[in-house]
Structures are given as C-alpha cells and as structure tokens.
Amino acid sequence: RIGSATSLSSAVINTRLQELVRLFKERTEKVKEKLIDPDVTSDDESPVASPTKPAPAPVVPAPGGELEDKPSGDDHYCEMLCCTFKSRPWLDRLKSYQFPSSIDPLTNLMYVLWLFFVVMAWNWNCWLIPVRWAFPYQTPANIHYWLLVDYLCDLIYLLDVLVFQTRLQFVQGGDIITDKNAMKKNYLRSQRFKMDVLCLLPLDFFYFKVGVNPLLRFPRCLKYMAFFEFNNRLEAILTKAYIYRVIRTTAYLLYSLHVNSCLYYWASAYEGLGSTTWVYDGEGNSYIRCYYWAVKTLITIGGLPDPKTLFEIVFQLLNYFTGVFAFSVMIGQMRDVVGAATAGQTYYRSCMDSTIKYMNFYKIPKTVQNRVKTWYEYTWHSQGMLDESELLVQLPDKMRLDIAIDVNYNIVSKVALFQGCDRQMIFDMLKRLRSVVYLPNDYVCKKGEIGREMYIIQAGQVQVLGGPDGKSVLVTLKAGSVFGEISLLAAGGGNRRTANVVAHGFANLFILEKKDLNEILVHYPESQKLLRKKAKKMLKNNNKPKDEKGGPGDPLIIPPKAETPKLFRAALAATGRMGGKGALGRLRWRLKELKAMQ
C-alpha cells in the first residue's frame, strides 16, 4: 500500500511538472515572438459578444393547480359565443391600416398601382368617346351602363386629385418635403392641378338640355400627364422595359387607326351610308369594316375606291397626308425603341469585330483567336457586359459601395485573413475588387512567380496542381473559396506562389491587388497589425509540414548522416591544428569528400 501510494503521488507530481514545463515553453515562445514583432499586442482576437437570449418567463400554475395552456403570440384568436376561433391576420392588419400622410412618387409601388387605375380610366375615355360619338353603339336601352362606367372613371379622377396628388413628396432646395400643407400648396401651384381641374369640368349638366352627347366628356381626355408619369414609373421597375415600349408604340398606331375609323364612319353617315362607292355601305360589322378601311388608308396600301364629291376628296387627301406622317413617326419611334433595347449587343459586336480585325492584321494564331472569341462570348452571356466598372463609374461612391456590399460582402467576410478587421476597411476593400473571367485550362497563377493578388472565386472551379510532374490535382476550389491571401502581406521572399492554379472550366474570379490593400491599410493601423500577425502565423503553419515531414515523392540520393559526436569533433579539430597528418587526418579528409558529394 505504501509503495502504491508513493508511485501514485510521483505520477501526479510528474504530470504536474510536465504541464509546468509546457506552460513555460509557451510563455517563452510568446515573449520571443513579441520581441521579434513589436506590433503584436495580443495572441487572440478580441472575442465577439454573443447575443444574449431573454430568459424564459416562469410558468405560473392556474388556481386549480394545472398549467393554463394559452395560445402563443404568433397565433390570432377571436372568441365567439362559447368557442375560440383562429382569426385571419390580414383582417387585423387591414383594420389597423392607416393611409400614409406622404407618398414617395419614385419608389412607392402602391402609387404606381394607383396610377394604373387612373390610366385605365383615361383610356376608357380616349377610346370609347370617339366610338360612342361616331357609331350607333350608345342607345337609350344601354345608356345607364355607359353612364355608370363614366361616373366610376370620374370618381377615380376625383380621388386622384383629393387623396393622392396632395400627398406627393417633392424636393425643394435639396430637401424632401413631407409636410402636408407644403405638399398641398405645391400641387395647387403646379401645371398638373390646372389640367386636372380642366378635365373634371362638369359639362355633364348640359345632358339635360342637349341629351347624352359623348363629346361633352372630351375634357376627360386631358389627363394625359398621368399617362406619361405612369410610363416613367413602370419603366423604372421593369427588368425589360423595352418590351413595354414596343407595346406602347404599337398602341399608338392602333389608336390612330381607331380614330381614323371613327372619322370615316362619321363621314359616311354625313354623306349617307351607301350613297356612293367611296362611303361605307352599311353592311357587316360597321367598326371592323371601317377599321379595315382606315388601315389601308393610313398605311397607303391602295386599292380604295376613288372619292366622288368634293367633301370625299378633301377627306381622303387629309387621310393620306396624316397617314404618311403618322406611319413615318411610328416607324422612327419603333426603330429608336429597338435600337435602345439592343444597344448593349451592338457595342459587344463592335468590340468583338474590332478585336478580330486587329488579330487578323497582326496574323495572330488561330488558337489564340479562338480563345479570345470564346472569352468575349462567355463574358457577354454570363454578365451581360464586358466590363462591370464601366457601368458603376457613373454612380456616386456611396452607391458603388452599397452595390459592392450586396454582391461581394458575404464572400469576403468569410476569408480567415480578414476576420476581426475593421468593418470599414472591408468596405473600402470591396470597392477595389476587380472581376476577371478565366477560360478552361487558363493558368490563374504559376509556381514560383511573385504573388501580388488575392483571388476570390465568384463562379466556377479552379484546381491546385502539384506533385513531381506538376500536373497532379491536389485540391479543387469551388465558388466562395479564397486563395493567394498570404501573398498580400508576406515579405522577405514569402510571397512566391507555391503551386500552379488552373481554371477548371469557365471561372469568374474577384482579384484584390497588393498595392490596393496597402493603400487601404495606411488608414487602418490596427487592422494592419492584426493582418501582419495572421499572415505570419498562416505562413508558419504552412511551412511546418514541409520541415517536419519528408514527402514520399522526394527520395534522397544520399541519406543524411548521423550527427558526429562532440568528442570525435574535438579530436578532428585537434588533428586539423596539427597539420592533418595520421589516420585521423585522412579520416577527416574523407568526411569532407563525402559531405561535398552529398
């Protein structure tokens, strides 16, 4: 028992001594590292405080001794008679909804939706007033339906004036004005208010004297400013606005034909239906037949009967002149719309044609020309432009930063080298990132070259090559991976590439150059110290396996010799001082020869 207790205590003491020796070694290494690099202040990054969780509320038992089961806060219940029903949350939100006191006309989607209803009411008046005036479609039997829709459109006009236009924000002296009285006065002083009052003139009271004449509602068509505002707001939120522009231009053409067909029926009724070969004969669908005549006239197809009377000749001449003018305007506007939609494609084709012409002039090999063409096609189809910086150069610095944060921050924030650095430094670094596209089998970097960039994989994959032949795939890096970050801060020859990196397929990489990072770190000394310390640690960890473990693929021609004993080295030194004579001298000379061979 005494022996076992003694051995146990000695084992405990031995363990404790080993632990103390290990602690002393770690402390010595820390002091040594601090003496070598004075910038090092602490060994670890300052920990980030984790968000505190609220303590759960204590469960209070009911008076009867049982726990009361209450519905959670996320559920909505209503009591009716003796039962409890789950109510709909949208109904509660609808009851508590308050109309905004001010509306931003540039970004508020609710305002764009309201403009849609206003434009629909405006189109009703513009399209149906000529039809009801010219064609016999408005009869005493259906007059109440026409009036019902008419006054519904008038109600939309009135709500737009009283509710929406008086709440629109505006800019004055660089400030966004949201005051109710100021917004109301700004609307009352605008040209928009004058046109809105003019289009709401109550000419309907003349119905009691002259009957329900649709021409008395013609002022309702003067609300065209709402139509153009709706076009601007809708084009701002559409991803392919050129499609809407083509539809709108086509609607202009159809409306001009619509008005011309109404005028032709009115002229036929004025001359008498079927009175001559030129007028409408009254057979078939009147609107379709007149619209067909308007298409042939405005587009100047020909094949129409000759006018007989002076009125018919003047009317036909005016139609021809109007048709040529309107048709040329429509073609020119359609050309502008299509040209604006394909402006990017035209720029891409011109750049590619110029590059091909340059390569043909200097007789560049076909293999290189094919790779250049492939780069142009892939870059254009993948990102829709050849250089992203050309798109962002027109934006203010703050907006470029916002776009860079949304696109690149999630990737850069995961880089181990930059974790713990100043957040603003990361933001400044995001604006310096440059996007580059690599083709399949392109070398991103080669072994032994000086590393001046860090690479972040945005899309695609790259392969790290190594081995005796330099072609073995060591690892495949995918989207979100980072490599080359140590080269940004390494010094003293530690910034050379240690392996070949090749693009596996098409790869889109973000590049951060060393000079850009150095310009940024001048303003963030604390982050510079932290980055320098991290780079040294990462470089040290990367070199440890190479120093401690010999690679199986690098066999030694002559195995390393064992260390010479100290007594034997002293004897050899004494022999050297005596002139190198004797057996020891010859042995010393032999060892030198072996060392030179090794």
Side-chain angles (χ1 to χ4, degrees):
R1 292 181 180 178
I2 295 176
S4 61
T6 304
S7 61
L8 181 61
S9 60
S10 62
V12 173
I13 293 173
N14 189 20
T15 304
R16 180 59 179 167
L17 287 175
Q18 291 178 359
E19 184 178 356
L20 289 175
V21 170
R22 182 180 58 81
L23 293 176
F24 277 120
K25 285 184 178 180
E26 291 180 358
R27 184 176 181 183
T28 304
E29 291 292 334
K30 294 175 184 178
V31 174
K32 183 178 178 181
E33 183 180 358
K34 191 171 183 179
L35 290 175
I36 295 174
D37 187 2
D39 295 333
V40 178
T41 56
S42 61
D43 302 294
D44 298 323
E45 305 170 15
S46 55
V48 181
S50 59
T52 58
K53 296 182 179 180
V59 181
V60 181
E66 297 181 356
L67 296 178
E68 184 178 359
D69 187 12
K70 293 185 177 181
S72 60
D74 295 338
D75 297 332
H76 303 266
Y77 291 86
C78 61
E79 296 182 359
M80 184 180 297
L81 298 179
C82 60
C83 303
T84 302
F85 299 95
K86 195 170 184 178
S87 65
R88 291 170 289 184
W90 64 267
L91 186 59
D92 296 338
R93 290 197 299 268
L94 185 61
K95 292 179 180 178
S96 61
Y97 176 77
Q98 294 182 353
F99 197 81
S101 59
S102 64
I103 301 173
D104 184 3
L106 300 178
T107 60
N108 196 318
L109 295 180
M110 181 190 67
Y111 180 66
V112 178
L113 180 61
W114 171 252
L115 285 178
F116 171 76
F117 290 109
V118 176
V119 170
M120 291 298 293
W122 178 76
N123 275 280
W124 166 269
N125 292 314
C126 291
W127 286 78
L128 273 301
I129 287 176
V131 172
R132 294 160 61 186
W133 165 73
F135 291 92
Y137 290 153
Q138 178 178 299
T139 61
N142 59 14
I143 187 66
H144 53 281
Y145 295 111
W146 293 103
L147 294 179
L148 175 63
V149 181
D150 286 344
Y151 293 133
L152 181 61
C153 295
D154 292 348
L155 178 61
I156 294 177
Y157 279 18
L158 192 62
L159 289 177
D160 181 62
V161 172
L162 299 178
V163 178
F164 284 88
Q165 297 300 322
T166 56
R167 286 177 166 84
L168 293 183
Q169 302 173 5
F170 66 98
V171 179
Q172 185 178 19
D175 297 331
I176 300 177
I177 307 302
T178 58
D179 182 68
K180 291 183 178 180
N181 295 328
M183 291 186 294
K184 187 179 298 184
K185 291 180 181 178
N186 178 70
Y187 173 62
L188 295 178
R189 292 193 301 263
S190 64
Q191 183 70 18
R192 178 76 171 269
F193 173 71
K194 298 175 183 178
M195 297 301 297
D196 289 344
V197 172
L198 187 62
C199 73
L200 284 175
L201 287 178
L203 300 181
D204 302 47
F205 289 108
F206 289 99
Y207 286 172
F208 298 103
K209 187 174 182 181
V210 298
V212 182
N213 190 348
L215 287 181
L216 294 175
R217 293 187 55 83
F218 182 76
R220 303 295 190 272
C221 299
L222 299 178
K223 202 175 177 62
Y224 60 90
M225 300 181 70
F227 171 70
F228 292 111
E229 184 184 7
F230 173 73
N231 292 333
N232 296 332
R233 300 291 175 263
L234 187 61
E235 290 178 6
I237 62 177
L238 291 177
T239 56
K240 295 183 179 180
Y242 65 90
I243 297 179
Y244 174 72
R245 297 190 189 108
V246 171
I247 296 175
R248 185 182 62 202
T249 306
T250 306
Y252 291 159
L253 178 61
L254 296 178
Y255 183 74
S256 62
L257 295 174
H258 169 78
V259 174
N260 194 28
S261 64
C262 295
L263 291 176
Y264 174 66
Y265 186 88
W266 169 81
S268 299
Y270 178 79
E271 286 285 303
L273 298 179
S275 60
T276 62
T277 58
W278 181 83
V279 299
Y280 169 61
D281 56 4
E283 297 179 1
N285 188 297
S286 58
Y287 180 78
I288 299 298
R289 299 287 294 273
C290 294
Y291 199 91
Y292 173 74
W293 183 91
V295 170
K296 295 182 69 175
T297 303
L298 284 183
I299 305 181
T300 62
I301 296 177
L304 296 173
D306 296 331
K308 304 298 182 182
T309 64
L310 178 63
F311 175 80
E312 294 175 358
I313 293 174
V314 173
F315 187 89
Q316 188 72 350
L317 288 176
L318 292 177
N319 254 319
Y320 280 140
F321 290 142
T322 306
V324 171
F325 176 75
F327 194 66
S328 60
V329 169
M330 296 301 171
I331 291 179
Q333 190 170 4
M334 189 69 73
R335 182 202 60 189
D336 295 339
V337 170
V338 176
T342 59
Q345 185 75 17
T346 305
Y347 172 73
Y348 156 71
R349 293 302 313 174
S350 63
C351 291
M352 190 171 182
D353 293 342
S354 301
T355 305
I356 294 175
K357 183 178 179 180
Y358 173 84
M359 292 188 296
N360 291 332
F361 179 79
Y362 285 99
K363 298 180 181 180
I364 304 297
K366 288 296 182 180
T367 55
V368 179
Q369 292 191 23
N370 292 334
R371 293 183 65 82
V372 172
K373 294 177 184 177
T374 303
W375 180 87
Y376 266 105
E377 292 179 0
Y378 176 78
T379 304
W380 175 258
H381 291 296
S382 62
Q383 58 189 24
M385 62 191 71
L386 299 178
D387 189 3
E388 294 180 353
S389 59
E390 294 181 358
L391 177 66
L392 303 178
V393 70
Q394 301 176 355
L395 297 177
D397 189 69
K398 180 64 173 62
M399 292 185 180
R400 289 203 303 269
L401 176 60
D402 294 340
I403 294 177
I405 290 174
D406 293 335
V407 175
N408 306 327
Y409 182 73
N410 290 334
I411 297 177
V412 177
S413 61
K414 297 177 183 178
V415 181
L417 183 64
F418 300 123
Q419 290 182 358
C421 295
D422 195 313
R423 187 181 180 89
Q424 188 60 40
M425 189 211 77
I426 303 295
F427 291 164
D428 292 344
M429 190 176 63
L430 291 177
K431 294 184 293 184
R432 304 295 185 97
L433 292 178
R434 181 167 51 92
S435 178
V436 178
V437 175
Y438 288 90
L439 301 183
N441 300 323
D442 274 355
Y443 277 89
V444 181
C445 57
K446 293 185 177 182
K447 182 178 181 180
E449 67 179 10
I450 303 299
R452 299 184 181 89
E453 303 93 3
M454 180 193 74
Y455 300 91
I456 303 174
I457 304 177
Q458 182 190 17
Q461 298 179 357
V462 298
Q463 293 179 341
V464 182
L465 306 182
D469 56 352
K471 297 182 179 180
S472 301
V473 179
L474 302 180
V475 66
T476 300
L477 304 178
K478 299 182 180 181
S481 302
V482 180
F483 60 95
E485 67 272 22
I486 302 178
S487 300
L488 295 181
L489 296 169
N495 57 345
R496 289 188 178 272
R497 304 296 187 189
T498 58
N500 296 327
V501 180
V502 180
H504 181 62
F506 292 95
N508 195 344
L509 307 182
F510 285 122
I511 296 179
L512 176 64
E513 296 184 358
K514 187 173 184 178
K515 63 176 183 178
D516 294 334
L517 182 62
N518 291 337
E519 292 175 0
I520 295 173
L521 291 179
V522 172
H523 307 285
Y524 304 95
E526 295 297 329
S527 298
Q528 186 178 13
K529 296 177 183 179
L530 181 60
L531 288 177
R532 188 182 302 172
K533 173 189 169 184
K534 284 188 173 184
K536 287 185 178 181
K537 283 187 175 181
M538 295 174 71
L539 190 61
K540 185 177 180 181
N541 294 335
N542 290 343
N543 291 334
K544 276 183 178 181
K546 298 179 182 180
D547 298 338
E548 297 175 1
K549 300 179 182 180
D554 299 330
L556 297 176
I557 299 175
I558 300 178
K561 64 175 183 177
E563 186 178 0
T564 307
K566 295 182 180 180
L567 183 60
F568 192 52
R569 286 202 302 268
L572 291 176
T575 304
R577 288 193 296 269
M578 292 172 60
K581 299 179 181 179
L584 289 178
R586 289 191 299 271
L587 182 59
R588 186 170 181 269
W589 175 84
R590 181 62 177 165
L591 288 175
K592 282 185 178 181
E593 186 179 7
L594 288 175
K595 185 176 181 181
M597 290 176 59
Q598 185 177 1

